[in-house]
Amino acid sequence: MLARKFLLISGLAVLAASSLSAQEKKDKKAKGAANEESQAAPAAPASKPAGLQWSNRDMTYHGQNYDIMDSAYYRKGKPAKQFHAYMEHQEAFPPKPRNMFEVGIGGGLYNVIGNIPSTMLWNKGGGGINFNVRKSLGYAFSMRMQYIYGVARNLDLQATTGYDAPYTEFGYVPLQQSGNGQPAERVYRSTRMESSQLNLDLMFNVGNINFHQARNKVSFFGYLGLGALGYKTRVNALNDNYEEYNFATMVSNPNGDLKAIRKDLRKGLDKSHETPAPNTNRKTFLDKKHLDFAPSVGLGVQYKINKMFNVQVENRYIFPMDPYLDGTRFGPNLGNTVSTGRSSDAINYFSVGVNMNIKTKKAVEPLYWMNPLDHGYNELSYPRHMILPNPVLPDKDEDGVTDQFDKCPKTPKDLPVDAHGCPLDTDGDGVPDYKDKQLITPTECQPVDADGVGNCPCPDGCKEMVSNNNNNTKGGDKNPCGNIGAGTLLFPEKSNKINKGMEIQLATLAAQMQANPLCKVVIMGGGTGSKVKEQKSWEHVNAVIEYMSDKNSIGRDRFIFKYGEAGDENIVTYRPANVDEGGESNVPPPHPNIK
């Protein structure tokens, strides 16, 4: 029955493997046809620039085995953090991807190596079936849980006089009990051992780590296993009538061909193993099986059919350190001496099976099929990103415009320049701002002199007004500041800096003051009601006057300093001073200790 089950399983495995292989060949053939079509397609026009071949190429390597940039392949927690660090170029190594479980079924030869010779499956001997689940720990190591159900048969092909129970209990006389007219009887021992075994295997393979190709179809592995073995052994010592066998007449030629001896024993022995064999009195479970600790070692090879299926051949050697697996402690006779036999029996299980990868979430194949060098080698050939140093371009005058594009290569240091590297010339009169004493010269007053001052005609009566102003007179109803306009400046919240908008307004004011050199301007800051507001008002007014003095070369004595006026402390207004208006240009801060 066991042999039939094994043949059925093997047949189904072969059919599945052949169908999958045929489908894979069909897919490859279709893919090859598609490639031939693409190669036969007309080439790109000759007028297309060769450089576009590189610029249109996808430089991002996603991986041959899986898309390494797909976050769904990685678990949450530490792998997810490592993935994001890798994508941000903060980590050189991508995380280990989630990979599939492998489940398998197989069957094969199950033999006890003991004192009685083992019978092979093709001689109607023992066999086994197995079920296993395997999970990768990394690219080299994996763990496997395997269950094995096996039946082993052992049969003497040479009669022996060295035996113990249960033969001695049924009247057979062994060599050690012969004498006094009782000759030793020869017997052909026949035993059957049935077992269930659960193993946890630590497996090792390196065939997937390949330096010269992306992946292999063949994987060799080895393993160490720890397991629990439950077994029971029974002896065929009596015939169908529960009487002793007459072994003396059962075999026609005891010294003849082993094949003929085996044939005679099959005819002479019934198919029952009715008597329990001796044992070490260990604990029993599950149909009175004796429980034993069973370490094991093994070697095997797998052949991949496709990404989901592979065929496996392996051999496991199990050594439970138990002398009664074959039901006896006695070995074959050594002349007229009874051999004590092996101190412990062993089990050999040779199996062939089919494995399938189980996909629960988005996962790659088991890592023992994946080449970890795939990513590294392809990154070398097709880099996903390159870390290059920032380009250093020459800029001798350090104005921020590289020498290649600088039209004014010798600009004084820290001087504001335009996009061409030339000093700013706000009014376009040909005199740069840092030399222009009249920052904004009206067009009608140009051309200007070397200081950037225009030549505008003096209207009627202006000389008299200047003269009167110099003599500190009111000058009647004429005001020398009539050409200067008023304005308002708004400072950002919690800031004393002059921004770009203010600079434009103050540049206009400076030009007007340069055109009216006898006029003073009143700078007034709002902010009253608290010491903080008064101090802030003073700071804003002082910032305006300092800017006009430093940046526009307007003397501080031409301003009248007023602060703490009604209004918002962030607003500063300016207006031309009246002819008879006076005031200080330097005013100490009211509350200098307030920040």
Side-chain angles (χ1 to χ4, degrees), residues 96-242:
K96 183 175 70 175
R98 182 188 291 110
N99 61 95
M100 304 180 194
F101 280 88
E102 179 188 83
V103 298
I105 183 172
L109 309 178
Y110 193 86
N111 301 97
V112 169
I113 302 171
N115 298 306
I116 305 175
S118 180
T119 304
M120 304 305 290
L121 182 64
W122 49 84
N123 289 323
K124 297 185 179 181
I129 57 175
N130 64 271
F131 305 92
N132 48 266
V133 179
R134 183 178 176 186
K135 178 62 176 176
S136 171
L137 301 177
Y139 292 93
F141 289 96
S142 57
M143 295 294 292
R144 181 179 70 175
M145 184 71 72
Q146 185 179 62
Y147 169 77
I148 303 172
Y149 172 79
V151 173
R153 297 176 185 272
N154 293 68
L155 177 65
D156 275 330
L157 297 181
Q158 294 293 327
T160 181
T161 57
Y163 48 85
D164 52 0
Y167 292 97
T168 57
E169 297 174 355
F170 298 140
Y172 296 96
V173 180
L175 179 63
Q176 64 269 24
Q177 296 178 4
S178 63
N180 299 325
Q182 251 188 337
E185 295 182 60
R186 294 181 176 273
V187 301
Y188 292 89
R189 294 171 296 183
S190 175
T191 63
R192 178 184 184 274
M193 191 272 277
E194 179 184 353
S195 70
S196 293
Q197 183 174 350
L198 187 64
N199 301 293
L200 180 63
D201 302 322
L202 176 62
M203 308 184 73
F204 174 77
N205 69 290
V206 292
N208 57 317
I209 303 175
N210 200 307
F211 293 87
H212 303 292
Q213 60 184 15
R215 56 196 302 151
N216 288 333
K217 278 187 168 292
V218 179
S219 175
F220 294 91
F221 61 87
Y223 58 87
L224 297 173
L226 294 177
L229 173 69
Y231 76 94
K232 63 178 180 179
T233 304
R234 303 181 73 84
V235 180
N236 188 357
L238 302 174
N239 60 23
D240 291 337
N241 297 320
Y242 290 93

Side-chain angles (χ1 to χ4, degrees), residues 10 25 140 202 286 339 434 481:
S10 301
K25 289 181 180 178
L202 176 62
L286 295 178
S339 170
Y434 76 99
C481 300

Side-chain angles (χ1 to χ4, degrees), residues 289-326:
K289 287 185 173 67
H290 303 282
L291 184 62
D292 200 357
F293 175 68
S296 59
V297 296
L299 296 171
V301 60
Q302 291 176 294
Y303 177 78
K304 177 186 284 189
I305 299 173
N306 56 31
K307 288 187 176 183
M308 298 302 293
F309 291 90
N310 67 81
V311 177
Q312 175 176 296
V313 178
E314 72 171 283
N315 190 74
R316 180 190 290 271
Y317 189 81
I318 308 161
F319 38 97
M321 307 300 289
D322 189 324
Y324 285 106
L325 296 183
D326 63 350

Side-chain angles (χ1 to χ4, degrees), residues 375-552:
H375 171 67
Y377 270 91
N378 281 279
E379 276 290 303
L380 290 174
S381 299
Y382 313 106
R384 183 170 62 90
H385 67 276
M386 298 180 68
I387 301 176
L388 300 175
N390 292 326
V392 178
L393 301 177
D395 181 14
K396 292 182 179 179
D397 56 5
E398 300 180 355
D399 60 358
V401 179
T402 182
D403 293 347
Q404 183 179 359
F405 303 105
D406 199 337
K407 294 183 178 180
C408 301
K410 296 182 179 180
T411 305
K413 191 175 181 180
D414 298 329
L415 197 68
V417 297
D418 59 17
H420 302 291
C422 294
L424 294 177
D425 181 11
T426 304
D427 54 7
D429 60 1
V431 179
D433 290 353
Y434 76 99
K435 293 182 178 180
D436 200 334
K437 293 183 179 179
Q438 188 177 20
L439 190 61
I440 300 180
T441 303
T443 305
E444 60 270 16
C445 298
Q446 299 181 19
V448 298
D449 58 19
D451 295 325
V453 179
N455 184 20
C456 288
C458 184
D460 294 340
C462 74
K463 293 182 179 180
E464 180 183 352
M465 292 173 61
V466 171
S467 176
N468 289 338
N469 192 67
N470 288 337
N471 294 327
N472 294 322
T473 60
K474 295 182 179 180
D477 295 330
K478 296 181 179 180
N479 188 344
C481 300
N483 293 330
I484 296 179
T488 301
L489 304 172
L490 176 62
F491 278 83
E493 191 73 24
K494 298 181 181 180
S495 175
N496 297 328
K497 293 184 179 181
I498 305 297
N499 59 32
K500 292 293 183 182
M502 295 181 190
E503 289 179 1
I504 297 174
Q505 287 182 266
L506 294 178
T508 303
L509 175 60
Q512 292 172 348
M513 293 182 70
Q514 289 170 349
N516 297 272
L518 303 180
C519 180
K520 290 187 176 184
V521 172
V522 180
I523 309 295
M524 296 179 295
T528 185
S530 71
K531 293 181 180 181
V532 175
K533 291 183 178 181
E534 288 180 357
Q535 178 64 25
K536 183 64 67 176
S537 175
W538 181 92
E539 291 173 356
H540 289 160
V541 172
N542 189 64
V544 173
I545 295 176
E546 285 188 352
Y547 179 84
M548 293 294 288
S549 177
D550 295 341
K551 299 296 183 181
N552 294 308

